[in-house]
């Protein structure tokens, strides 16, 4: 596969006289894809039924005839103002019961059938008009599901749909009462119609109720997306995709992805560092203008799994953004580094957001490849350099990694429902495992709980809330060694403590006697180095102790093909556990210096240096904010 570059463009923001010149300039920069249309509903249909597509016909023709392939977005993330007159109850309602208003974007509730039908209608109109247009080479459905906290809505349509969903899941109200443990605090219902949404209760609602609502809310996103997939499929052969986000776990991306052809995501490394990542001050200062060295790769690898191997970066940060608490500029070289890193992880396309900075409205402080008055911004030259790099690079072929992380969105819903410790967070735990694998120089795959085809030397499944017997069986078959814990197999599907001990541990003579959470300032030391933080499972049983805490309790227990980790490891403990697992499974580790990361493909080794200073690995010096690409012989084992 030969990776390509693209850009996000808003023809409706610029006079038509600029389009042809813009298109020629994109081509000259080395871009081959352009995404348009995803917010333009008020221009496509200014009044209900008044279809105005001629401008879009001309935009597509201008861009396409310049040689660009078009990703056409359905505009359903931005319903025009008139839509509210037609469907006054289509707005989402927040947890406090406030109706969200018109005046920005994503002002809809996934459960509003009238709005879903409007989306299907506009998708069919667009599909009929452009489905066979030779310039339209892919379709983006909606934009960033879940952005601005929009997955969950406490609206009346959501309530009605939730009751139906519950009736279908549980069949009888007695079954539901039993499954949720509603005898507790006399919460028993007599009918599905009595069940409310789990907000505005006096104190914590039943976690089983919350988890069911989170599952339902995720399913509403899947169903919403599927309606447009079904509308477009018969009208086009072009691939359908969606642009997901970073650290957004509110819906099951694997399930949305199953209906699409390609997963794409929006990568804003510097925004993420300050906006959505834990980390010490020193770390945040060291990478202030580069972004965290593992955050992008984590999502590249995750979305490669969501896209079943096919994935892109749909929006790549090109300079300072507008939405993080602070918005420093990337150091010179970083826009190129991020782009090449995506390619190393298998991106088919890296597309910059956006072509030209908007001089108006909410994102006027967000840079583009061009300034708002049409001069080159610093990102442009780097994009051009990447285009040259890609010509030299040629084909990039992915190989299956030897290690994988089992990733499960529902575990995040469970642990955010009952964190039990303020600093326990599913993403944080999984990300710490990912970082440890990368410090050891390993390339990593992600697998979902439904995945069962590939075989790995090692699979990590930290914090996996529910392990049913089927998953337990598949996990055992799909790797030489699985490491569970902490907090794995700890609840049933209905948020109860499993009666028969922890599933997943039955191959180990081991159970969990009690659990503890610790404040961020505390830790529990492990003999020989490292410590557990945030969370401890107190383990008992005859299984061998590979590591123990200084107080004598077990930190890591081992059985046949399965280990259980008792606490949330700090870096030193993770490094020890990975080294032990590597020894057990014959994995070759290639320790990397701070901020330098490796990614192996079939034909290359990418050395990616997020540091501002040069870093050395295995005799190779990589300059600061630079990428060194070593060729490897595809016949060599990875
Ligand atoms: C993304 C979004 C874009 C734009 C961008 C700004 O979340 O998809 O439309 O808002 O962020 O960084």
């Amino acid at each position: 596969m030969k990776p390509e570059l693209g850009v996000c463009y808003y023809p409706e923001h610029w006079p038509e006289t600029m389009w042809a010149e813009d298109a020629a300039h994109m081509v000259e920069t080395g871009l081959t894809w352009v995404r348009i249309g995803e917010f333009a509903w008020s221009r496509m249909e200014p009044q209900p039924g008044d279809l105005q597509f001629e401008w879009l016909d001309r935009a597509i023709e201008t861009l396409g005839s310049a040689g660009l392939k078009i990703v056409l977005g359905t505009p359903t993330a931005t319903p025009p103002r008139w839509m509210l007159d037609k469907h006054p109850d289509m707005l989402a309602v927040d947890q406090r019961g406030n109706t969200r208003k018109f005046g920005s974007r994503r002002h809809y509730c996934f459960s509003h059938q009238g709005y879903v039908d409007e989306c299907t209608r506009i998708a069919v109109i667009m599909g009929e008009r452009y489905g066979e247009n030779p310039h339209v080479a892919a379709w983006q459905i909606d934009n960033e599901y879940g952005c601005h906290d929009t997955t969950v809505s406490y609206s009346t349509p959501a309530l009605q749909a939730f009751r139906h969903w519950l009736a279908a899941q549980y069949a009888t109200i007695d079954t539901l009462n039993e499954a949720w443990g509603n005898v507790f605090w006399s919460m028993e219902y007599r009918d599905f119609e009595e069940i409310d949404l789990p907000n505005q209760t006096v104190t914590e609602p039943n976690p089983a109720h919350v988890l069911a609502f989170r599952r339902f809310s995720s399913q509403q996103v899947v169903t919403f997306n599927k309606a447009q997939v079904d509308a477009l499929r018969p009208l086009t052969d072009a691939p359908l995709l969606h642009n997901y986000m970073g650290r957004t776990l509110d819906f099951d991306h694997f399930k949305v992805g199953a209906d699409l052809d390609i997963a794409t995501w929006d990568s804003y490394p510097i925004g993420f560092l300050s906006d959505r990542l834990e980390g010490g001050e020193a770390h945040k200062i060291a990478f202030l203008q580069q972004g965290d060295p593992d955050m992008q790769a984590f999502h590249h690898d995750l979305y490669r799994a969501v896209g079943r191997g096919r994935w892109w970066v749909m929006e790549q940060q090109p300079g300072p953004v507008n939405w993080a608490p602070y918005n420093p500029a990337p150091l010179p070289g970083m826009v190129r580094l991020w782009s090449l890193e995506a390619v190393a992880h298998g991106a088919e396309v890296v597309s910059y957001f956006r072509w030209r900075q908007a001089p108006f409205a909410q994102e006027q402080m967000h840079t583009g490849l061009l300034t708002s008055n049409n001069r080159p911004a610093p990102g442009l030259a780097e994009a051009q350099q990447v285009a040259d790099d890609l010509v030299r690079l040629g084909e990039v072929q992915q190989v299956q990694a030897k290690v994988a992380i089992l990733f499960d969105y529902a575990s995040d819903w469970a642990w955010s429902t009952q964190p039990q410790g303020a600093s326990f967070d599913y993403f944080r735990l999984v990300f710490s495992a990912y970082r440890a694998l990368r410090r050891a120089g390993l390339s990593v795959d992600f697998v979902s709980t439904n995945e069962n085809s590939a075989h790995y030397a090692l699979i990590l499944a930290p914090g996996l809330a529910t392990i049913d017997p089927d998953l337990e069986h598949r996990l055992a078959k799909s790797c030489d060694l699985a490491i569970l814990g902490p907090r794995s197999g700890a609840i049933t599907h209905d948020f109860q403590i499993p009666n028969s001990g922890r599933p997943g541990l039955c191959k180990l003579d081991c159970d969990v006697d009690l659990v503890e959470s610790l404040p961020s300032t505390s830790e529990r030391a492990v003999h020989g180095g490292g410590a557990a933080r945030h969370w401890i499972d107190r383990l008992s049983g005859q299984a061998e102790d590979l590591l123990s805490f200084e107080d004598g309790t077990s930190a890591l227990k081992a059985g046949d093909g399965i280990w259980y980790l008792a606490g949330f490891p700090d870096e030193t403990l993770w490094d020890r556990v990975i080294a032990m697992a590597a020894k057990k499974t014959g994995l070759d580790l290639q320790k990397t210096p701070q901020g330098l990361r490796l990614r192996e493909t079939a034909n290359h080794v990418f050395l990616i240096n997020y540091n501002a200073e040069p870093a050395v690995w295995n005799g190779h010096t990589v300059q600061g904010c630079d990428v060194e690409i070593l060729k490897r012989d595809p016949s060599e084992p990875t």
Side-chain angles (χ1 to χ4, degrees):
M1 189 253 321
K2 280 195 179 151
E4 298 179 55
L5 298 181
V7 73
C8 304
Y9 183 56
Y10 299 91
E12 68 277 19
H13 294 182
W14 310 105
E16 198 164 329
T17 48
M18 292 177 83
W19 296 352
E21 198 185 302
D22 280 339
H25 196 177
M26 289 172 197
V27 171
E28 187 195 313
T29 305
L31 311 176
T32 50
W33 286 86
V34 58
R35 183 192 68 176
I36 60 171
E38 82 278 11
F39 299 129
W41 200 335
S42 70
R43 292 295 172 98
M44 296 173 185
E45 191 178 14
Q47 302 286 340
D50 173 19
L51 300 175
Q52 301 282 343
F53 278 99
E54 293 72 18
W55 69 271
L56 189 55
D57 298 346
R58 293 193 297 276
I60 289 174
E61 186 50 37
T62 305
L63 294 162
S65 59
L68 294 159
K69 289 176 275 191
I70 291 166
V71 182
L72 184 58
T74 67
T76 53
T78 51
R81 179 61 187 80
W82 55 255
M83 192 70 76
L84 298 185
D85 301 334
K86 276 181 94 175
H87 305 285
D89 59 345
M90 64 169 280
L91 295 166
V93 174
D94 73 13
Q95 194 166 14
R96 299 158 71 123
N98 297 321
T99 303
R100 304 185 82 171
K101 289 183 174 175
F102 182 84
S104 62
R105 63 177 169 183
R106 299 212 53 75
H107 41 279
Y108 67 84
C109 173
F110 283 101
S111 296
H112 193 279
Q113 192 55 45
Y115 185 58
V116 174
D117 294 343
E118 296 280 0
C119 295
T120 307
R121 180 180 65 81
I122 197 75
V124 168
I125 290 168
M126 292 178 74
E128 283 172 345
R129 196 168 187 107
Y130 303 116
E132 291 178 5
N133 185 307
H135 301 311
V136 176
W139 291 77
Q140 177 181 300
I141 296 180
D142 204 278
N143 190 82
E144 289 193 340
Y145 292 137
C147 187
H148 317 305
D149 203 8
T150 49
T151 298
V152 174
S153 162
Y154 299 85
S155 67
T156 303
L159 170 63
Q160 286 158 351
F162 183 49
R163 287 174 177 163
H164 274 114
W165 184 85
L166 289 173
Q169 299 286 311
Y170 293 94
T172 73
I173 198 67
D174 292 344
T175 313
L176 179 144
N177 282 324
E178 182 71 24
W180 290 10
N182 282 337
V183 61
F184 194 77
W185 289 350
S186 278
M187 292 183 294
E188 284 162 309
Y189 300 103
R190 293 161 302 168
D191 192 283
F192 287 102
E193 290 301 306
E194 291 182 343
I195 300 176
D196 221 322
L197 297 178
N199 61 328
Q200 297 184 299
T201 48
V202 174
T203 184
E204 184 188 348
N206 187 337
H209 186 176
V210 180
L211 184 57
F213 183 55
R214 298 292 303 270
R215 271 204 188 96
F216 157 82
S217 301
S218 169
Q219 189 54 41
Q220 295 303 85
V221 180
V222 176
T223 306
F224 181 93
N225 180 69
K226 180 78 167 35
Q228 291 190 52
V229 169
D230 290 345
L232 288 170
R233 281 279 181 230
L235 301 170
T236 183
D237 292 332
L240 309 182
L241 50 83
H242 177 73
N243 57 333
Y244 307 102
M245 299 199 296
R247 199 173 181 166
T248 299
L249 311 185
D250 283 346
F251 62 92
D252 190 332
H253 293 49
F254 290 115
K255 288 198 176 139
V256 171
D259 293 323
L260 297 169
D261 304 302
I262 301 174
T264 79
W265 83 286
D266 298 342
S267 178
Y268 292 93
I270 294 179
F272 295 153
L273 184 82
S274 64
D275 187 58
R276 61 189 73 162
L277 205 57
E278 298 89 3
E281 271 315 290
H283 177 78
K284 291 206 169 181
I285 289 168
F287 295 106
L288 184 74
Q289 293 181 269
Q290 302 101 301
D292 180 273
D294 296 305
M295 183 73 165
Q296 289 60 252
F298 179 98
H299 290 90
H300 297 337
D301 292 342
L302 175 61
Y303 289 127
R304 193 173 60 250
V306 169
R308 299 177 307 283
R310 295 200 64 186
W311 75 279
W312 304 7
V313 171
M314 184 57 87
E315 298 181 13
Q316 174 63 66
Q317 176 168 4
V321 301
N322 63 305
W323 46 261
Y326 301 97
N327 297 294
L331 287 179
M334 285 312 296
V335 172
R336 171 173 173 267
L337 179 148
W338 297 326
S339 312
L340 291 176
E341 183 182 37
V343 163
H345 286 256
E348 295 178 10
V349 177
V350 177
S351 156
Y352 300 94
F353 183 90
R354 50 186 276 157
W355 175 241
R356 188 185 297 106
Q357 182 165 356
F360 42 69
Q362 282 91 329
E363 292 179 352
Q364 54 185 280
M365 302 301 290
H366 194 299
T367 35
L369 295 180
L370 299 177
T371 64
S372 54
N373 61 358
N374 216 15
R375 287 175 298 113
L380 184 75
E382 292 200 28
Q384 202 148 19
Q385 210 185 337
V386 178
D388 296 342
D389 290 330
L390 294 185
V391 171
R392 277 196 300 276
L393 191 62
E395 297 273 331
V396 181
Q397 281 161 21
Q398 296 299 308
V399 280
Q400 194 202 303
K402 296 202 172 95
V403 301
I405 289 182
L406 201 155
F407 194 79
D408 174 43
Y409 289 90
S411 294
D412 175 65
W413 312 334
W415 301 149
S416 56
T417 299
Q418 274 206 336
Q420 177 70 4
S423 57
F424 188 88
D425 174 89
Y426 179 69
F427 180 90
R428 184 179 194 176
L429 173 62
V430 177
F431 192 52
S432 74
Y434 181 79
R435 279 185 188 290
L437 294 170
R438 302 245 302 161
R439 281 196 297 277
L442 293 164
S443 293
V444 183
D445 283 351
F446 279 78
V447 291
S448 77
T449 51
N450 299 317
E451 179 77 45
N452 55 5
S453 48
H455 191 275
Y456 291 91
L458 172 65
I459 293 185
L460 305 186
L464 183 62
T466 302
I467 306 178
D468 59 31
D470 181 48
L471 175 58
E472 188 174 345
H473 182 69
R474 276 188 287 117
L475 193 57
K477 275 202 353 205
S478 54
C479 60
D480 300 335
L481 176 64
I483 305 183
L484 303 181
R487 212 176 185 182
S488 291
I491 56 165
T492 65
H493 185 266
D494 288 304
F495 221 121
Q496 298 203 12
I497 299 173
N499 211 1
S500 52
R502 294 264 181 117
L505 301 190
C506 64
K507 285 178 73 192
L508 277 174
D509 182 355
C510 166
D511 210 337
V512 177
D513 291 348
L514 60 78
V515 301
E516 293 180 79
S517 58
L518 304 177
S520 289
T521 43
S522 295
E523 58 181 35
R524 188 142 315 154
V526 171
H527 271 304
R533 316 191 64 186
H534 314 301
W535 189 270
I536 316 269
D537 287 320
R538 179 91 56 85
L539 304 180
S540 64
Q542 296 305 310
E544 183 191 357
D545 279 343
L546 294 182
L547 292 172
S548 40
F549 290 111
E550 286 184 350
D551 65 7
T553 56
S554 173
L556 180 67
K557 275 197 176 288
D560 184 18
I562 183 166
W563 292 0
Y564 194 94
L565 191 53
F568 187 140
D570 69 358
E571 285 195 7
T572 309
L573 182 55
W574 263 130
D575 291 345
R576 287 183 72 191
V577 171
I578 301 300
M580 290 162 74
K583 199 160 166 211
K584 174 89 185 163
T585 57
L587 279 172
D588 196 16
L589 303 188
Q590 321 187 56
K591 202 169 166 359
T592 55
Q594 140 114 339
L596 184 120
R597 294 293 183 243
L598 301 187
R599 170 76 194 173
E600 292 187 346
T601 68
N603 37 350
H604 303 98
V605 180
F606 285 72
L607 307 180
I608 299 158
N609 186 10
Y610 268 78
N611 299 293
E613 309 300 330
V616 180
W617 179 81
N618 226 0
H620 300 280
T621 302
V622 189
Q623 296 308 312
C625 305
D626 202 358
V627 180
E628 179 88 25
I629 305 173
L630 311 176
K631 283 246 188 268
R632 54 187 295 273
D633 175 356
S635 60
E636 268 174 37
T638 45

